[in-house]
Amino acid sequence: MKKIILLLFSLLVIFSSFGCGESKELSLYEIDAILNGNKLSCEMDFTYVNDSKKAVNELYFCLYPNAFRKDAKIKPVSVEKELKAYPNGESFGEITINGVKHGEKDLKFFIVGDDENILKVELDRVVSYNESHKISISYDLTIPNCLHRFGYGDNTLNLSNFYPVLCEEYNGKIYFSNYYAFGDPFYTSVADYKVSLTVPSTYIVASSMSPCETEWMGNKTRYSYSRENVRDVAFILSEKFNILKERVNSTDIYYYYFSDIAPESSLKTIVNSFKFYSDKFIKYPYPQYVVCEADFIHGGMEYPCLAIVDKSVKVEEKDYVLAHETAHQWWYGLVGANQSEEGFIDEGLAEFSTLLYLENASGESREKEIETVKQRYREIRKFTVHLQSGKNAIMQRNLGSFSSEAEYVSIAYYRSQIAFNDLSKFLGEKKTYKFLKGLSTNYKYKNITYNELRSFAEKIKSGSKKLLDGYVLGETAV
Ligand SMILES: [Zn+2]
């Protein structure tokens, strides 16, 4: 372990083994963003690679920042969390699309979706299977004073979901995600990224990408990054970050912090859980993994090669949160899913993986923890079962169908964790790891559906499908 003084220089020497090269197979996002106060001006070139096997003449993009606009129909923050999320009172953000072009030609575009959350672009030609097509989107962002994925607080500016994200196909149709006050409304395919970000030089930037180039321009600094084969990219900016680093295998692990009173201990948990998962699941393929403290309302949040941890997470809960977010590098980062419809897949697998890690680290059986989880689950169910959506315990359903965050947590986290633990008891230890390693190997860089997951489990041991269905379809009592 090596402590790093606040020197950004050290980051400059990190060159990704993924380099700055261009992929020929995946769609490519090239974003040039300039930060001025809480405004971000962006130019994005998007090279679309059609892998849908259907000819395409229009593209759809999720506009997540519009969830934060003044007249949003679906609020991104629940009433219970408003005070924490908006420490200085109401604040709004949004994305404004200035224009979409193909070369010099203007393309027609429309803001559609349930809540002005989708950009529809009419292309000027048909793009067939395996063909690519490049368009340019010019847009501006207003970042709200909100402790959220897209927002800023006193310590950090969180820049995730800051670009139009291509909508993917789900069950044969282009899927539009709505942004709710709980759950992660994301469903993306892996792509290649090249991003230039110009920010005030006082900022230290934590990123899911390796910097390729840095240019100082007095009070502004322009960082150029690239990363291939990732589901999305994000940046966390702060003037207060301290940095710890440790190398594990061929990955540099960084911990950016500003208020953690035991940062070495946090880094140890990050490193140990990372080693455990990398050993038990597929080996981590990226050269860098960054965890950083942030002004945030939801405990933690995962991105490929990056995780954030709410600075106000209690000391006694920190190890669990760090191990959970690190597990998401496999269950979300590498193996994706439609989190708006099947959020229990990545959350349940991350929760179950955390239990496995903690059991291994402490030497104490995970069954005691599972009993506590069952108690929590039953208590939440007692209070939500009278609500319309709380009547059933079906796990595979849209985020918008949950009556509250508590109900969502009880299903996507607790019930799913209990289900995977039960599956593990049925499989036995050896086959449990065969299942997890196989899943992460076979679905690396892909999205998995529940149907595929249960079929994969069935191949490991006959009867797994029935066991999982019992939980997912809401029939098995807990
Ligand atoms: Zn999670």
Side-chain angles (χ1 to χ4, degrees), residues 276-290:
F276 177 79
Y277 304 141
S278 210
D279 180 39
K280 299 291 187 189
F281 315 151
I282 194 171
K283 187 175 175 287
Y284 195 66
Y286 302 108
Q288 180 186 334
Y289 173 47
V290 176

Side-chain angles (χ1 to χ4, degrees), residues 184 300 302 324-325 328 346-347 350 413:
D184 301 337
E302 67 280 7
H324 172 97
E325 298 309 331
H328 271 304
D346 72 302
E347 291 305 348
Y413 289 68

Side-chain angles (χ1 to χ4, degrees), residues 330-450:
W330 281 264
W331 316 120
Y332 170 72
L334 291 171
V335 180
N338 184 338
Q339 294 175 297
S340 290
E341 296 292 337
E342 301 179 312
F344 69 94
I345 295 179
D346 72 302
E347 291 305 348
L349 285 169
E351 285 286 78
F352 177 59
S353 301
T354 304
L355 276 191
L356 292 177
Y357 160 68
L358 292 173
E359 181 178 61
N360 185 269
S362 68
E364 283 175 33
S365 162
R366 63 180 185 270
E367 287 311 310
K368 199 175 151 201
E369 181 62 26
I370 278 288
E371 275 313 307
T372 310
V373 173
K374 283 182 180 171
Q375 282 302 329
R376 284 188 205 136
Y377 174 82
R378 287 174 198 137
E379 266 165 44
I380 293 176
R381 298 294 299 164
K382 223 165 36 187
F383 290 107
T384 58
V385 82
H386 65 285
L387 300 167
Q388 188 59 36
S389 60
K391 279 183 183 165
N392 61 61
I394 292 175
M395 291 160 67
Q396 192 180 27
R397 57 193 162 111
N398 181 267
L399 272 181
S401 76
F402 290 93
S403 60
S404 63
E405 181 167 2
E407 193 206 353
Y408 174 70
V409 168
S410 77
I411 297 290
Y413 289 68
Y414 300 159
R415 188 175 173 86
S416 189
Q417 186 181 40
I418 294 160
F420 284 117
N421 190 62
D422 219 6
L423 176 70
S424 163
K425 283 202 277 189
F426 174 68
L427 294 176
E429 186 175 313
K430 209 172 155 195
K431 282 190 175 170
T432 294
Y433 286 112
K434 191 178 172 192
F435 168 66
L436 295 170
K437 192 164 216 148
L439 209 59
S440 55
T441 305
N442 283 281
Y443 288 91
K444 181 176 119 176
Y445 303 140
K446 294 178 188 161
N447 281 307
I448 193 168
T449 60
Y450 169 61

Side-chain angles (χ1 to χ4, degrees), residues 46-83:
F46 178 67
T47 305
Y48 171 67
V49 177
N50 185 357
D51 63 353
S52 70
K53 298 192 177 168
K54 291 178 195 163
V56 163
N57 64 357
E58 51 195 29
L59 294 177
Y60 294 87
F61 297 85
C62 286
L63 301 177
Y64 292 115
N66 265 356
F68 295 86
R69 72 191 202 288
K70 191 171 185 179
D71 52 355
K73 283 190 265 179
I74 310 168
K75 299 294 173 198
V77 174
S78 64
V79 175
E80 303 83 60
K81 287 201 169 164
E82 271 178 4
L83 268 181

Side-chain angles (χ1 to χ4, degrees), residues 280-310:
K280 299 291 187 189
F281 315 151
I282 194 171
K283 187 175 175 287
Y284 195 66
Y286 302 108
Q288 180 186 334
Y289 173 47
V290 176
V291 179
C292 61
E293 277 193 298
D295 293 319
F296 189 52
I297 54 166
H298 287 307
M301 182 64 206
E302 67 280 7
Y303 303 96
C305 309
L306 175 75
I308 65 176
V309 178
D310 170 6

